[in-house]
Amino acid sequence: MNKQGAASKYADLIHSDGVAGSLYNDPDVFQEELKKIWYTTWVYVGHESEVPNTHDFVMKSIGLEPIIMTRGKDGEINLLVNTCTHRGNKLCTKPKGNARSFTCPYHSWTFASDGRLLGQAYPDGFKNVDKADLALGRVPRVASYGGFVFGSFAEEGPSLEEHLGGAKETIDRLLANSPSGEIEVTTGYLKHKVKGNWKLLVENETDGYHPGFVHASVFMVSDSRINELYGDKSTSLSRDYGNGHTEIDLRPEFRKRGEELSWFNTNKERLPEYVEQMKAAYGDEKARQIMIDGTPHVMIFPNLFIAEIQLFVIEPISVSETVQHVTAIQFKGSPDINRRLRQQTMGSVGPAGFLLADDSVMYERTHQGLKTRTGYRTYTGRGNHRERLDEDGYLVGDSTDDLPSRGIWKHYKSLMEAGK
Amino acid sequence: MSLAEINYSLLREVEQFLYLEARLADENRYRDWEALWADDGIYWVPANSGDIDPELEMSIIYDNRSRISVRVNQFLSGKRFAAQPEIQVRRVVSNVELLQDAGEEVRVGSNAIYFVSGETDDEMWGSRNEFTLRRVDGEFRIVRKNVVLVNAAKALPNLAFLI
């Protein structure tokens, strides 16, 4: 299909107030997404704190591609394709660890933690072979922002900072909530599988319309106050940063309350060490403002969701299957708040989570619903009459509006129409 | 505990308790199931492996007694969508062994296989379970229930029944 044809295909499927159901379940669309999104744009891979020491490694992925994230002996982070260059065997089978080298169990080829081919078994059999040609495949562009490591399979393209654009500020906001200015990923992952297309998850992460309904049971049985944040009367905002990044900005509601740590459903008295650390780090007034505002609720396209207290990494498995990897955010050096971050994360997310099990059943039912052969089209026009620009020039709407979905699809369309 | 030391009447009693706990869970008798717990009960289903420290790493379930109540209340709220329509479960509990008999408290190990029929799919789950039981007014109460899933290291679907 020529470029013109590709453009008109997506123009037929993606509209400003709804999209075709086939985009969620056409295997050809999924293959095209792998090429034009997952293997082109910046994709979140892992956090620097997951490989703190030289030769540390952790298994990750970009799209369907298995990746080993390593810290080489030069201290730099490498994103290597976890496939032996000899016959394609899976090289590393341990989820994480520390290793100077990886030896393929099939024919014993050995690679350094920076991907160089170190040795081949029975070396006399290799004449005129340049080992450099048989190094592990590597993600050509690796960059990090605030400790978040991203990779792009495109040799050229926008820088990571250009890609993140306005969403950079949400990562700054997250880090500001840590007295040390750093977060860590140290608590392992909950891996939660759903039979639904990955975009259903991306859209739901900043859908502020559903919490009052899907999560009504949580408001009924606990002292959660999140229904105030996502109701019809909420002053929270939805925001489109462009490049597919969207957020629900809850600060207007938290500022109305004006209580430190209300964003975390707790108070100063219950986390005294953290509060003292914040004051020492930022001074009383700035610490107070940060602790009122709290951490962000932002979906960094296509796969990193910073959900106030936890990180979600969205891994597409097939057109109809997705895994969400979830871990508690930890503020480096702040044990009292970290304990609460872990406890609250475990309660709310994962296969048995008070929130995520209910989201996941919605993903699965929605995925089934979108399979209908009647040419189904979603409706994403809620709030399009009240879109406005904020002081920084980003589109904002009410927290329950479909504005984030519209932003995600607009960017998606531009990616799918671009390229070959 | 060697075979010669086994207190068979205690073993029978413990087995009957495990079967009761299993049946109440199978039949979604949430309140009756909750009543089996001691006031300081801990319900633990680790993620990734049974070797993790639940105080430091993520677990699928790591409930203290008050969170067990929240879990039960959520099931009973009528809006726990992940468990609607009602999930049908039958489990077989076997390989019951007394691991430690410390008088007031007994530690017991077992294996369990679950056949789970949800809204769309039928699933098999399997686990190694360890209970710590305490006698309270002549009845066993659960002080600790550890459920280590055979496939804990893998990505798992919703777990929206009492395992």
Side-chain angles (χ1 to χ4, degrees):
Chain A
M1 193 181 284
N2 62 29
K3 202 170 172 178
Q4 200 75 43
S8 61
K9 172 181 165 187
Y10 286 99
D12 284 346
L13 298 174
I14 302 168
H15 301 268
S16 61
D17 63 353
V19 304
S22 63
L23 290 168
Y24 298 90
N25 54 60
D26 180 342
D28 293 338
V29 169
F30 182 74
Q31 289 303 318
E32 210 173 324
E33 288 170 351
L34 286 174
K35 204 166 67 178
K36 293 182 173 174
I37 298 175
W38 295 94
Y39 303 150
T40 300
T41 63
W42 289 102
V43 174
Y44 174 70
V45 180
H47 194 268
E48 285 175 2
S49 61
E50 294 179 86
V51 286
N53 304 308
T54 304
H55 303 305
D56 279 350
F57 69 87
V58 58
M59 273 167 59
K60 296 288 182 183
S61 65
I62 296 180
L64 302 184
E65 200 74 26
I67 300 291
I68 323 175
M69 181 165 89
T70 71
R71 193 178 287 273
K73 68 177 176 198
D74 58 358
E76 294 298 309
I77 288 180
N78 304 283
L79 301 180
L80 307 170
V81 176
N82 187 14
T83 303
C84 181
T85 53
H86 179 217
R87 295 292 182 93
N89 194 34
K90 184 179 190 177
L91 182 62
C92 173
T93 54
K94 266 178 70 179
K96 61 181 176 180
N98 182 282
R100 288 174 176 277
S101 62
F102 301 95
T103 298
C104 178
Y106 194 4
H107 303 95
S108 210
W109 285 25
T110 298
F111 300 86
S113 63
D114 61 6
R116 281 172 299 126
L117 175 59
L118 293 176
Q120 295 154 297
Y122 313 149
D124 290 353
F126 301 99
K127 291 292 174 211
N128 305 318
V129 173
D130 185 352
K131 286 206 180 89
D133 294 338
L134 292 168
L136 287 179
R138 56 189 308 133
V139 179
R141 290 194 303 153
V142 181
S144 64
Y145 186 82
F148 292 86
V149 180
F150 295 76
S152 166
F153 273 110
E155 299 275 355
E156 293 172 10
S159 69
L160 175 62
E161 298 216 4
E162 287 167 334
H163 166 73
L164 292 174
K168 270 194 313 190
E169 190 272 326
T170 62
I171 294 178
D172 298 341
R173 212 188 303 156
L174 169 66
L175 301 181
N177 278 269
S178 172
S180 62
E182 290 181 55
I183 66 142
E184 290 183 314
V185 171
T186 55
T187 71
Y189 287 89
L190 288 166
K191 290 169 287 189
H192 189 181
K193 183 165 73 174
V194 293
K195 290 190 294 285
N197 184 267
W198 64 275
K199 299 186 293 299
L200 296 169
L201 283 69
V202 174
E203 290 183 272
N204 187 64
E205 311 303 17
T206 46
D207 174 286
Y209 198 12
H210 80 280
F213 311 107
V214 172
H215 305 306
S217 64
V218 177
F219 317 141
M220 292 163 70
V221 302
S222 74
D223 60 356
S224 166
R225 295 174 69 184
I226 62 173
N227 55 333
E228 296 169 17
L229 306 175
Y230 295 102
D232 201 22
K233 300 282 178 284
S234 170
T235 56
S236 308
L237 299 171
S238 52
R239 179 174 289 113
D240 175 9
Y241 282 110
N243 289 346
H245 312 314
T246 59
E247 111 169 287
I248 300 290
D249 185 352
L250 303 166
R251 287 174 296 179
E253 282 292 316
F254 295 141
R255 287 175 182 174
K256 260 196 333 201
R257 294 180 191 171
E259 301 156 24
E260 293 100 322
L261 294 168
S262 167
W263 68 270
F264 197 13
N265 211 21
T266 185
N267 57 53
K268 285 191 293 184
E269 287 67 40
R270 286 160 77 178
L271 296 171
E273 287 168 40
Y274 171 74
V275 171
E276 282 313 307
Q277 287 179 323
M278 287 295 283
K279 287 181 181 171
Y282 297 105
D284 286 7
E285 193 40 46
K286 189 167 179 212
R288 180 180 143 76
Q289 194 57 53
I290 294 169
M291 288 189 286
I292 289 171
D293 282 353
T295 53
H297 182 114
V298 61
M299 177 65 226
I300 311 262
F301 189 88
N303 70 331
L304 172 63
F305 174 34
I306 302 173
E308 289 108 315
I309 63 167
Q310 65 250 160
L311 304 177
F312 285 70
V313 186
I314 296 170
E315 179 190 10
I317 304 294
S318 72
V319 68
S320 58
E321 195 173 12
T322 307
V323 171
Q324 33 197 345
H325 302 255
V326 201
T327 190
I329 291 168
Q330 301 280 273
F331 296 149
K332 188 175 184 181
S334 299
D336 64 339
I337 195 167
N338 283 346
R339 181 163 188 273
R340 187 175 165 88
L341 287 161
R342 292 191 298 270
Q343 287 174 332
Q344 297 296 312
T345 294
M346 280 189 275
S348 52
V349 304
F354 293 137
L355 297 171
L356 261 289
D358 291 327
D359 286 309
S360 295
V361 78
M362 297 303 154
Y363 301 144
E364 298 194 342
R365 290 177 189 169
T366 307
H367 190 88
Q368 289 305 313
L370 292 164
K371 271 183 170 172
T372 172
R373 58 186 292 281
T374 57
Y376 183 87
R377 209 180 101 171
T378 64
Y379 180 77
T380 60
R382 179 178 163 81
N384 57 14
H385 62 289
R386 55 190 181 195
E387 285 185 359
R388 59 242 181 223
L389 294 176
D390 68 10
E391 61 269 31
D392 298 314
Y394 298 115
L395 269 181
V396 293
D398 289 11
S399 65
T400 60
D401 289 349
D402 287 333
L403 178 135
S405 270
R406 293 194 289 273
I408 290 161
W409 283 109
K410 186 175 170 213
H411 180 64
Y412 176 93
K413 185 163 174 259
S414 74
L415 292 174
M416 296 298 273
E417 286 180 341
K420 297 152 277 286
Chain B
M1 193 174 282
S2 77
L3 288 175
E5 291 172 327
I6 292 174
N7 176 341
Y8 283 94
S9 75
L10 177 62
L11 177 62
R12 288 281 96 79
E13 199 183 349
V14 165
E15 281 174 348
Q16 289 302 308
F17 180 83
L18 296 189
Y19 299 156
L20 170 67
E21 192 268 346
R23 181 162 51 84
L24 296 178
D26 280 348
E27 296 176 357
N28 300 322
R29 290 168 60 183
Y30 300 109
R31 281 277 175 250
D32 295 336
W33 179 83
E34 187 191 354
L36 301 179
W37 286 86
D39 292 341
D40 55 348
I42 300 276
Y43 178 25
W44 185 41
V45 184
N48 300 305
S49 104
D51 296 331
I52 66 159
D53 178 350
E55 289 294 328
L56 294 176
E57 293 178 73
M58 291 292 99
S59 293
I60 297 166
I61 295 173
Y62 187 49
D63 288 356
N64 60 14
R65 184 62 185 81
S66 76
R67 197 170 274 184
I68 289 169
S69 273
V70 173
R71 191 171 295 282
V72 162
N73 291 340
Q74 190 186 26
F75 277 122
L76 292 169
S77 69
K79 292 191 179 287
R80 178 54 161 171
F81 300 111
Q84 292 176 351
E86 191 173 74
I87 297 173
Q88 304 297 316
V89 186
R90 283 293 164 186
R91 74 197 69 192
V92 172
V93 175
S94 185
N95 305 49
V96 179
E97 292 175 283
L98 290 177
L99 303 175
Q100 194 178 27
D101 176 6
E104 191 195 353
E105 291 192 355
V106 180
R107 206 155 60 81
V108 56
S110 60
N111 290 350
I113 293 286
Y114 313 74
F115 188 88
V116 180
S117 188
E119 184 178 5
T120 51
D121 289 325
D122 295 340
E123 294 163 355
M124 290 286 286
W125 295 72
S127 67
R128 168 70 180 174
N129 298 349
E130 278 191 23
F131 286 76
T132 302
L133 305 176
R134 181 190 300 145
R135 282 190 198 279
V136 178
D137 301 331
E139 308 262 350
F140 281 131
R141 289 287 172 267
I142 306 166
V143 178
R144 180 100 184 185
K145 179 179 181 184
N146 297 348
V147 179
V148 181
L149 298 168
V150 175
N151 53 353
K154 295 225 175 84
L156 299 170
N158 264 2
L159 200 174
F161 61 95
L162 293 174
I163 194 156

